[in-house]
Amino acid sequence: MRSHAVSGIIMMLAASLTFSLMNVCVKLLDSLSSMELIFFRHVFTAICIGIWWIFYPPYKAKARKKGGWLRLLMRSLTGGLAMLAMFYNIATISLGTASAFAQTMPIYIVLFTLIFTKEHIRLPIIFATILGFIGVICICDIYTTSLGLDNIIAGIINGIMMALAYMSLKDLKAYFTESSIIMGFAITMVVVGGIFMFIDIPHLSGFVIPNTQEWVGIIILGILGTLGQILLTRAFMLAPAGLISPLDYMRIVWGVIFGIMLGDALPNTMTFVGIMLIIVSGILIAMPVFLQDYKKYKHIINK
């Protein structure tokens, strides 16, 4: 019988693949704006959570602190801005490069920890963070300007906002259940997307009535996004975060593979070096926690 830790690793790999397939749907639905896709994506998520609440009402969960609504709103807005920036890049640049920008989150978490907290960060982690920033510069390919300034800005915003959203989760768990946090995020994105998708900005916002094929794509997008969230949540419930977090970098690998299948050019040397540096940086940042968790659970994994 597989241990929980091994099952968590499998779930994390499955979540990485599922989210990558969701990004493929975003790429294929390029006739719809990023804001419209975000709107429909989260309508589907809100419906799924609503059905879940019929059987498992959140008010029956263990009592938690009161308040926290402003924190939940800020988490939802930062997470939504990260998703908007990611969808914009997916629609306008290669899937592999867009995926690499999305995986820069650990770099910014280390940076914000250094700036805003008194937590001690060891020199190897600082070195890994610098390595990651070099990777971002390589992906931007500023010498050949293969990316537009809008894509570079969107990529940086994506990483920064994801880091802020992730860092806020620790505090939010004291106030809300996990399903409530997801529902709060979904409702915020439905409201924001429902308003701003009627403002016409190329690739970013604007509303087009989907045809039959696009409706099918939207439904698949919603299924993959919700399934990915379930798999990711389950993975963290089954295995220590430090053990499975580095596996999330498989999204970049899948992004490059699926991008080439969709017609993206192979990454040039500078972009490839940047992608590799970001992967190495993220793994090095996660390595201390990974080793700690691995030593703790080694006897279970090796069974």
PDB file of all heavy atoms in Angstrom, residues 197-229:
ATOM      1  N   MET A 197     -14.791  43.045 -17.880  1.00  0.00           N
ATOM      2  CA  MET A 197     -14.698  42.427 -19.204  1.00  0.00           C
ATOM      3  C   MET A 197     -15.483  43.231 -20.251  1.00  0.00           C
ATOM      4  O   MET A 197     -15.354  42.989 -21.447  1.00  0.00           O
ATOM      5  CB  MET A 197     -15.188  40.981 -19.165  1.00  0.00           C
ATOM      6  CG  MET A 197     -16.655  40.786 -18.965  1.00  0.00           C
ATOM      7  SD  MET A 197     -17.029  39.001 -18.967  1.00  0.00           S
ATOM      8  CE  MET A 197     -18.794  39.033 -18.615  1.00  0.00           C
ATOM      9  N   PHE A 198     -16.276  44.191 -19.803  1.00  0.00           N
ATOM     10  CA  PHE A 198     -17.003  45.030 -20.749  1.00  0.00           C
ATOM     11  C   PHE A 198     -16.225  46.301 -21.108  1.00  0.00           C
ATOM     12  O   PHE A 198     -16.733  47.173 -21.815  1.00  0.00           O
ATOM     13  CB  PHE A 198     -18.374  45.397 -20.185  1.00  0.00           C
ATOM     14  CG  PHE A 198     -19.295  44.208 -20.091  1.00  0.00           C
ATOM     15  CD1 PHE A 198     -19.552  43.603 -18.875  1.00  0.00           C
ATOM     16  CD2 PHE A 198     -19.871  43.674 -21.236  1.00  0.00           C
ATOM     17  CE1 PHE A 198     -20.391  42.506 -18.790  1.00  0.00           C
ATOM     18  CE2 PHE A 198     -20.709  42.567 -21.169  1.00  0.00           C
ATOM     19  CZ  PHE A 198     -20.964  41.982 -19.935  1.00  0.00           C
ATOM     20  N   ILE A 199     -14.987  46.406 -20.596  1.00  0.00           N
ATOM     21  CA  ILE A 199     -14.093  47.504 -20.987  1.00  0.00           C
ATOM     22  C   ILE A 199     -13.132  46.942 -22.021  1.00  0.00           C
ATOM     23  O   ILE A 199     -12.402  45.999 -21.747  1.00  0.00           O
ATOM     24  CB  ILE A 199     -13.324  48.058 -19.776  1.00  0.00           C
ATOM     25  CG1 ILE A 199     -14.307  48.569 -18.719  1.00  0.00           C
ATOM     26  CG2 ILE A 199     -12.369  49.171 -20.212  1.00  0.00           C
ATOM     27  CD1 ILE A 199     -13.636  48.983 -17.423  1.00  0.00           C
ATOM     28  N   ASP A 200     -13.139  47.504 -23.207  1.00  0.00           N
ATOM     29  CA  ASP A 200     -12.417  46.896 -24.325  1.00  0.00           C
ATOM     30  C   ASP A 200     -10.935  47.272 -24.319  1.00  0.00           C
ATOM     31  O   ASP A 200     -10.560  48.375 -24.702  1.00  0.00           O
ATOM     32  CB  ASP A 200     -13.060  47.330 -25.647  1.00  0.00           C
ATOM     33  CG  ASP A 200     -12.520  46.550 -26.836  1.00  0.00           C
ATOM     34  OD1 ASP A 200     -11.878  45.513 -26.591  1.00  0.00           O
ATOM     35  OD2 ASP A 200     -12.736  46.974 -27.985  1.00  0.00           O
ATOM     36  N   ILE A 201     -10.096  46.350 -23.860  1.00  0.00           N
ATOM     37  CA  ILE A 201      -8.640  46.476 -23.919  1.00  0.00           C
ATOM     38  C   ILE A 201      -8.124  45.206 -24.582  1.00  0.00           C
ATOM     39  O   ILE A 201      -8.382  44.110 -24.079  1.00  0.00           O
ATOM     40  CB  ILE A 201      -8.002  46.634 -22.523  1.00  0.00           C
ATOM     41  CG1 ILE A 201      -8.614  47.831 -21.784  1.00  0.00           C
ATOM     42  CG2 ILE A 201      -6.487  46.795 -22.644  1.00  0.00           C
ATOM     43  CD1 ILE A 201      -8.151  47.961 -20.354  1.00  0.00           C
ATOM     44  N   PRO A 202      -7.405  45.281 -25.714  1.00  0.00           N
ATOM     45  CA  PRO A 202      -6.987  44.079 -26.460  1.00  0.00           C
ATOM     46  C   PRO A 202      -6.315  43.037 -25.571  1.00  0.00           C
ATOM     47  O   PRO A 202      -5.413  43.363 -24.796  1.00  0.00           O
ATOM     48  CB  PRO A 202      -6.021  44.642 -27.502  1.00  0.00           C
ATOM     49  CG  PRO A 202      -6.473  46.046 -27.715  1.00  0.00           C
ATOM     50  CD  PRO A 202      -6.964  46.515 -26.371  1.00  0.00           C
ATOM     51  N   HIS A 203      -6.763  41.782 -25.685  1.00  0.00           N
ATOM     52  CA  HIS A 203      -6.234  40.602 -24.974  1.00  0.00           C
ATOM     53  C   HIS A 203      -6.518  40.628 -23.471  1.00  0.00           C
ATOM     54  O   HIS A 203      -6.497  39.590 -22.819  1.00  0.00           O
ATOM     55  CB  HIS A 203      -4.726  40.448 -25.183  1.00  0.00           C
ATOM     56  CG  HIS A 203      -4.340  40.148 -26.592  1.00  0.00           C
ATOM     57  ND1 HIS A 203      -4.681  38.980 -27.224  1.00  0.00           N
ATOM     58  CD2 HIS A 203      -3.656  40.885 -27.498  1.00  0.00           C
ATOM     59  CE1 HIS A 203      -4.201  38.984 -28.456  1.00  0.00           C
ATOM     60  NE2 HIS A 203      -3.588  40.122 -28.654  1.00  0.00           N
ATOM     61  N   LEU A 204      -6.762  41.812 -22.917  1.00  0.00           N
ATOM     62  CA  LEU A 204      -6.911  41.923 -21.466  1.00  0.00           C
ATOM     63  C   LEU A 204      -8.373  41.868 -21.054  1.00  0.00           C
ATOM     64  O   LEU A 204      -8.756  41.125 -20.155  1.00  0.00           O
ATOM     65  CB  LEU A 204      -6.260  43.212 -20.980  1.00  0.00           C
ATOM     66  CG  LEU A 204      -6.051  43.349 -19.479  1.00  0.00           C
ATOM     67  CD1 LEU A 204      -5.104  42.271 -18.972  1.00  0.00           C
ATOM     68  CD2 LEU A 204      -5.506  44.731 -19.140  1.00  0.00           C
ATOM     69  N   SER A 205      -9.203  42.664 -21.701  1.00  0.00           N
ATOM     70  CA  SER A 205     -10.626  42.682 -21.375  1.00  0.00           C
ATOM     71  C   SER A 205     -11.435  42.861 -22.653  1.00  0.00           C
ATOM     72  O   SER A 205     -10.884  43.025 -23.735  1.00  0.00           O
ATOM     73  CB  SER A 205     -10.941  43.794 -20.360  1.00  0.00           C
ATOM     74  OG  SER A 205     -10.573  45.053 -20.882  1.00  0.00           O
ATOM     75  N   GLY A 206     -12.750  42.846 -22.487  1.00  0.00           N
ATOM     76  CA  GLY A 206     -13.628  42.864 -23.638  1.00  0.00           C
ATOM     77  C   GLY A 206     -14.522  41.643 -23.599  1.00  0.00           C
ATOM     78  O   GLY A 206     -14.143  40.604 -23.044  1.00  0.00           O
ATOM     79  N   PHE A 207     -15.725  41.747 -24.171  1.00  0.00           N
ATOM     80  CA  PHE A 207     -16.687  40.649 -24.120  1.00  0.00           C
ATOM     81  C   PHE A 207     -17.105  40.230 -25.514  1.00  0.00           C
ATOM     82  O   PHE A 207     -17.459  41.060 -26.353  1.00  0.00           O
ATOM     83  CB  PHE A 207     -17.923  41.051 -23.318  1.00  0.00           C
ATOM     84  CG  PHE A 207     -18.974  39.972 -23.265  1.00  0.00           C
ATOM     85  CD1 PHE A 207     -18.797  38.857 -22.467  1.00  0.00           C
ATOM     86  CD2 PHE A 207     -20.131  40.074 -24.029  1.00  0.00           C
ATOM     87  CE1 PHE A 207     -19.749  37.853 -22.418  1.00  0.00           C
ATOM     88  CE2 PHE A 207     -21.093  39.077 -23.982  1.00  0.00           C
ATOM     89  CZ  PHE A 207     -20.904  37.965 -23.174  1.00  0.00           C
ATOM     90  N   VAL A 208     -17.028  38.932 -25.766  1.00  0.00           N
ATOM     91  CA  VAL A 208     -17.498  38.329 -27.006  1.00  0.00           C
ATOM     92  C   VAL A 208     -18.400  37.162 -26.632  1.00  0.00           C
ATOM     93  O   VAL A 208     -18.026  36.352 -25.777  1.00  0.00           O
ATOM     94  CB  VAL A 208     -16.315  37.819 -27.874  1.00  0.00           C
ATOM     95  CG1 VAL A 208     -16.839  37.112 -29.118  1.00  0.00           C
ATOM     96  CG2 VAL A 208     -15.387  38.958 -28.247  1.00  0.00           C
ATOM     97  N   ILE A 209     -19.577  37.078 -27.238  1.00  0.00           N
ATOM     98  CA  ILE A 209     -20.466  35.955 -26.947  1.00  0.00           C
ATOM     99  C   ILE A 209     -19.838  34.678 -27.502  1.00  0.00           C
ATOM    100  O   ILE A 209     -19.589  34.579 -28.707  1.00  0.00           O
ATOM    101  CB  ILE A 209     -21.858  36.173 -27.579  1.00  0.00           C
ATOM    102  CG1 ILE A 209     -22.508  37.423 -26.993  1.00  0.00           C
ATOM    103  CG2 ILE A 209     -22.746  34.945 -27.341  1.00  0.00           C
ATOM    104  CD1 ILE A 209     -23.844  37.771 -27.603  1.00  0.00           C
ATOM    105  N   PRO A 210     -19.518  33.708 -26.660  1.00  0.00           N
ATOM    106  CA  PRO A 210     -18.841  32.494 -27.134  1.00  0.00           C
ATOM    107  C   PRO A 210     -19.721  31.685 -28.091  1.00  0.00           C
ATOM    108  O   PRO A 210     -20.938  31.627 -27.922  1.00  0.00           O
ATOM    109  CB  PRO A 210     -18.570  31.706 -25.839  1.00  0.00           C
ATOM    110  CG  PRO A 210     -18.685  32.708 -24.733  1.00  0.00           C
ATOM    111  CD  PRO A 210     -19.703  33.703 -25.191  1.00  0.00           C
ATOM    112  N   ASN A 211     -19.077  31.077 -29.096  1.00  0.00           N
ATOM    113  CA  ASN A 211     -19.805  30.150 -29.957  1.00  0.00           C
ATOM    114  C   ASN A 211     -19.810  28.761 -29.304  1.00  0.00           C
ATOM    115  O   ASN A 211     -19.278  28.579 -28.198  1.00  0.00           O
ATOM    116  CB  ASN A 211     -19.183  30.109 -31.361  1.00  0.00           C
ATOM    117  CG  ASN A 211     -17.708  29.726 -31.340  1.00  0.00           C
ATOM    118  OD1 ASN A 211     -17.282  28.923 -30.505  1.00  0.00           O
ATOM    119  ND2 ASN A 211     -16.920  30.294 -32.240  1.00  0.00           N
ATOM    120  N   THR A 212     -20.390  27.792 -29.963  1.00  0.00           N
ATOM    121  CA  THR A 212     -20.531  26.449 -29.371  1.00  0.00           C
ATOM    122  C   THR A 212     -19.178  25.847 -29.005  1.00  0.00           C
ATOM    123  O   THR A 212     -18.992  25.296 -27.914  1.00  0.00           O
ATOM    124  CB  THR A 212     -21.254  25.509 -30.354  1.00  0.00           C
ATOM    125  OG1 THR A 212     -22.524  26.073 -30.693  1.00  0.00           O
ATOM    126  CG2 THR A 212     -21.456  24.129 -29.725  1.00  0.00           C
ATOM    127  N   GLN A 213     -18.201  25.956 -29.921  1.00  0.00           N
ATOM    128  CA  GLN A 213     -16.872  25.392 -29.667  1.00  0.00           C
ATOM    129  C   GLN A 213     -16.210  26.075 -28.474  1.00  0.00           C
ATOM    130  O   GLN A 213     -15.557  25.418 -27.651  1.00  0.00           O
ATOM    131  CB  GLN A 213     -16.002  25.550 -30.918  1.00  0.00           C
ATOM    132  CG  GLN A 213     -14.649  24.872 -30.819  1.00  0.00           C
ATOM    133  CD  GLN A 213     -13.863  24.982 -32.116  1.00  0.00           C
ATOM    134  OE1 GLN A 213     -14.348  25.496 -33.107  1.00  0.00           O
ATOM    135  NE2 GLN A 213     -12.636  24.498 -32.090  1.00  0.00           N
ATOM    136  N   GLU A 214     -16.391  27.395 -28.376  1.00  0.00           N
ATOM    137  CA  GLU A 214     -15.787  28.136 -27.259  1.00  0.00           C
ATOM    138  C   GLU A 214     -16.462  27.786 -25.932  1.00  0.00           C
ATOM    139  O   GLU A 214     -15.788  27.736 -24.898  1.00  0.00           O
ATOM    140  CB  GLU A 214     -15.869  29.636 -27.540  1.00  0.00           C
ATOM    141  CG  GLU A 214     -14.909  30.069 -28.646  1.00  0.00           C
ATOM    142  CD  GLU A 214     -15.209  31.460 -29.176  1.00  0.00           C
ATOM    143  OE1 GLU A 214     -16.348  31.958 -28.954  1.00  0.00           O
ATOM    144  OE2 GLU A 214     -14.328  32.047 -29.835  1.00  0.00           O
ATOM    145  N   TRP A 215     -17.770  27.530 -25.959  1.00  0.00           N
ATOM    146  CA  TRP A 215     -18.452  27.118 -24.738  1.00  0.00           C
ATOM    147  C   TRP A 215     -17.895  25.795 -24.225  1.00  0.00           C
ATOM    148  O   TRP A 215     -17.706  25.595 -23.021  1.00  0.00           O
ATOM    149  CB  TRP A 215     -19.962  26.995 -24.961  1.00  0.00           C
ATOM    150  CG  TRP A 215     -20.721  28.283 -24.834  1.00  0.00           C
ATOM    151  CD1 TRP A 215     -21.471  28.903 -25.789  1.00  0.00           C
ATOM    152  CD2 TRP A 215     -20.809  29.122 -23.668  1.00  0.00           C
ATOM    153  NE1 TRP A 215     -22.010  30.073 -25.311  1.00  0.00           N
ATOM    154  CE2 TRP A 215     -21.637  30.229 -24.007  1.00  0.00           C
ATOM    155  CE3 TRP A 215     -20.283  29.039 -22.391  1.00  0.00           C
ATOM    156  CZ2 TRP A 215     -21.922  31.240 -23.102  1.00  0.00           C
ATOM    157  CZ3 TRP A 215     -20.565  30.057 -21.481  1.00  0.00           C
ATOM    158  CH2 TRP A 215     -21.379  31.137 -21.838  1.00  0.00           C
ATOM    159  N   VAL A 216     -17.630  24.879 -25.163  1.00  0.00           N
ATOM    160  CA  VAL A 216     -17.022  23.601 -24.783  1.00  0.00           C
ATOM    161  C   VAL A 216     -15.657  23.838 -24.137  1.00  0.00           C
ATOM    162  O   VAL A 216     -15.312  23.252 -23.104  1.00  0.00           O
ATOM    163  CB  VAL A 216     -16.884  22.668 -26.008  1.00  0.00           C
ATOM    164  CG1 VAL A 216     -16.082  21.415 -25.639  1.00  0.00           C
ATOM    165  CG2 VAL A 216     -18.256  22.280 -26.543  1.00  0.00           C
ATOM    166  N   GLY A 217     -14.860  24.733 -24.758  1.00  0.00           N
ATOM    167  CA  GLY A 217     -13.548  25.073 -24.213  1.00  0.00           C
ATOM    168  C   GLY A 217     -13.645  25.697 -22.828  1.00  0.00           C
ATOM    169  O   GLY A 217     -12.834  25.406 -21.939  1.00  0.00           O
ATOM    170  N   ILE A 218     -14.642  26.560 -22.625  1.00  0.00           N
ATOM    171  CA  ILE A 218     -14.840  27.214 -21.325  1.00  0.00           C
ATOM    172  C   ILE A 218     -15.181  26.182 -20.250  1.00  0.00           C
ATOM    173  O   ILE A 218     -14.674  26.236 -19.124  1.00  0.00           O
ATOM    174  CB  ILE A 218     -15.947  28.283 -21.427  1.00  0.00           C
ATOM    175  CG1 ILE A 218     -15.440  29.499 -22.215  1.00  0.00           C
ATOM    176  CG2 ILE A 218     -16.426  28.708 -20.042  1.00  0.00           C
ATOM    177  CD1 ILE A 218     -16.520  30.485 -22.570  1.00  0.00           C
ATOM    178  N   ILE A 219     -16.045  25.223 -20.608  1.00  0.00           N
ATOM    179  CA  ILE A 219     -16.414  24.177 -19.648  1.00  0.00           C
ATOM    180  C   ILE A 219     -15.193  23.333 -19.281  1.00  0.00           C
ATOM    181  O   ILE A 219     -14.955  23.034 -18.107  1.00  0.00           O
ATOM    182  CB  ILE A 219     -17.534  23.281 -20.232  1.00  0.00           C
ATOM    183  CG1 ILE A 219     -18.831  24.092 -20.364  1.00  0.00           C
ATOM    184  CG2 ILE A 219     -17.764  22.053 -19.345  1.00  0.00           C
ATOM    185  CD1 ILE A 219     -19.932  23.380 -21.119  1.00  0.00           C
ATOM    186  N   ILE A 220     -14.387  22.959 -20.295  1.00  0.00           N
ATOM    187  CA  ILE A 220     -13.167  22.192 -20.028  1.00  0.00           C
ATOM    188  C   ILE A 220     -12.204  23.004 -19.164  1.00  0.00           C
ATOM    189  O   ILE A 220     -11.568  22.473 -18.243  1.00  0.00           O
ATOM    190  CB  ILE A 220     -12.497  21.774 -21.354  1.00  0.00           C
ATOM    191  CG1 ILE A 220     -13.400  20.800 -22.122  1.00  0.00           C
ATOM    192  CG2 ILE A 220     -11.139  21.117 -21.086  1.00  0.00           C
ATOM    193  CD1 ILE A 220     -12.894  20.467 -23.503  1.00  0.00           C
ATOM    194  N   LEU A 221     -12.099  24.302 -19.454  1.00  0.00           N
ATOM    195  CA  LEU A 221     -11.254  25.198 -18.660  1.00  0.00           C
ATOM    196  C   LEU A 221     -11.688  25.188 -17.200  1.00  0.00           C
ATOM    197  O   LEU A 221     -10.857  25.071 -16.285  1.00  0.00           O
ATOM    198  CB  LEU A 221     -11.334  26.616 -19.226  1.00  0.00           C
ATOM    199  CG  LEU A 221     -10.644  27.734 -18.433  1.00  0.00           C
ATOM    200  CD1 LEU A 221      -9.130  27.598 -18.522  1.00  0.00           C
ATOM    201  CD2 LEU A 221     -11.088  29.106 -18.943  1.00  0.00           C
ATOM    202  N   GLY A 222     -12.994  25.288 -16.971  1.00  0.00           N
ATOM    203  CA  GLY A 222     -13.505  25.284 -15.600  1.00  0.00           C
ATOM    204  C   GLY A 222     -13.255  23.960 -14.898  1.00  0.00           C
ATOM    205  O   GLY A 222     -12.873  23.934 -13.724  1.00  0.00           O
ATOM    206  N   ILE A 223     -13.457  22.860 -15.625  1.00  0.00           N
ATOM    207  CA  ILE A 223     -13.234  21.531 -15.034  1.00  0.00           C
ATOM    208  C   ILE A 223     -11.768  21.350 -14.654  1.00  0.00           C
ATOM    209  O   ILE A 223     -11.444  20.913 -13.547  1.00  0.00           O
ATOM    210  CB  ILE A 223     -13.665  20.425 -16.018  1.00  0.00           C
ATOM    211  CG1 ILE A 223     -15.185  20.441 -16.200  1.00  0.00           C
ATOM    212  CG2 ILE A 223     -13.204  19.055 -15.524  1.00  0.00           C
ATOM    213  CD1 ILE A 223     -15.687  19.521 -17.296  1.00  0.00           C
ATOM    214  N   LEU A 224     -10.860  21.705 -15.582  1.00  0.00           N
ATOM    215  CA  LEU A 224      -9.431  21.533 -15.326  1.00  0.00           C
ATOM    216  C   LEU A 224      -8.960  22.433 -14.184  1.00  0.00           C
ATOM    217  O   LEU A 224      -8.167  22.006 -13.334  1.00  0.00           O
ATOM    218  CB  LEU A 224      -8.631  21.831 -16.594  1.00  0.00           C
ATOM    219  CG  LEU A 224      -8.753  20.805 -17.728  1.00  0.00           C
ATOM    220  CD1 LEU A 224      -8.092  21.325 -18.997  1.00  0.00           C
ATOM    221  CD2 LEU A 224      -8.145  19.467 -17.318  1.00  0.00           C
ATOM    222  N   GLY A 225      -9.429  23.668 -14.158  1.00  0.00           N
ATOM    223  CA  GLY A 225      -9.029  24.590 -13.099  1.00  0.00           C
ATOM    224  C   GLY A 225      -9.482  24.113 -11.730  1.00  0.00           C
ATOM    225  O   GLY A 225      -8.721  24.140 -10.752  1.00  0.00           O
ATOM    226  N   THR A 226     -10.736  23.661 -11.647  1.00  0.00           N
ATOM    227  CA  THR A 226     -11.267  23.166 -10.377  1.00  0.00           C
ATOM    228  C   THR A 226     -10.600  21.861  -9.968  1.00  0.00           C
ATOM    229  O   THR A 226     -10.238  21.670  -8.796  1.00  0.00           O
ATOM    230  CB  THR A 226     -12.794  22.958 -10.484  1.00  0.00           C
ATOM    231  OG1 THR A 226     -13.405  24.190 -10.908  1.00  0.00           O
ATOM    232  CG2 THR A 226     -13.376  22.537  -9.146  1.00  0.00           C
ATOM    233  N   LEU A 227     -10.406  20.945 -10.933  1.00  0.00           N
ATOM    234  CA  LEU A 227      -9.734  19.675 -10.642  1.00  0.00           C
ATOM    235  C   LEU A 227      -8.302  19.904 -10.176  1.00  0.00           C
ATOM    236  O   LEU A 227      -7.822  19.265  -9.236  1.00  0.00           O
ATOM    237  CB  LEU A 227      -9.745  18.781 -11.881  1.00  0.00           C
ATOM    238  CG  LEU A 227      -9.057  17.412 -11.752  1.00  0.00           C
ATOM    239  CD1 LEU A 227      -9.712  16.582 -10.663  1.00  0.00           C
ATOM    240  CD2 LEU A 227      -9.077  16.669 -13.082  1.00  0.00           C
ATOM    241  N   GLY A 228      -7.602  20.845 -10.830  1.00  0.00           N
ATOM    242  CA  GLY A 228      -6.236  21.168 -10.427  1.00  0.00           C
ATOM    243  C   GLY A 228      -6.177  21.673  -9.000  1.00  0.00           C
ATOM    244  O   GLY A 228      -5.281  21.301  -8.227  1.00  0.00           O
ATOM    245  N   GLN A 229      -7.160  22.512  -8.626  1.00  0.00           N
ATOM    246  CA  GLN A 229      -7.204  23.045  -7.265  1.00  0.00           C
ATOM    247  C   GLN A 229      -7.447  21.927  -6.256  1.00  0.00           C
ATOM    248  O   GLN A 229      -6.832  21.893  -5.176  1.00  0.00           O
ATOM    249  CB  GLN A 229      -8.326  24.088  -7.161  1.00  0.00           C
ATOM    250  CG  GLN A 229      -8.334  24.864  -5.855  1.00  0.00           C
ATOM    251  CD  GLN A 229      -7.098  25.740  -5.697  1.00  0.00           C
ATOM    252  OE1 GLN A 229      -6.788  26.543  -6.577  1.00  0.00           O
ATOM    253  NE2 GLN A 229      -6.404  25.581  -4.593  1.00  0.00           N
TER     254      GLN A 229
END
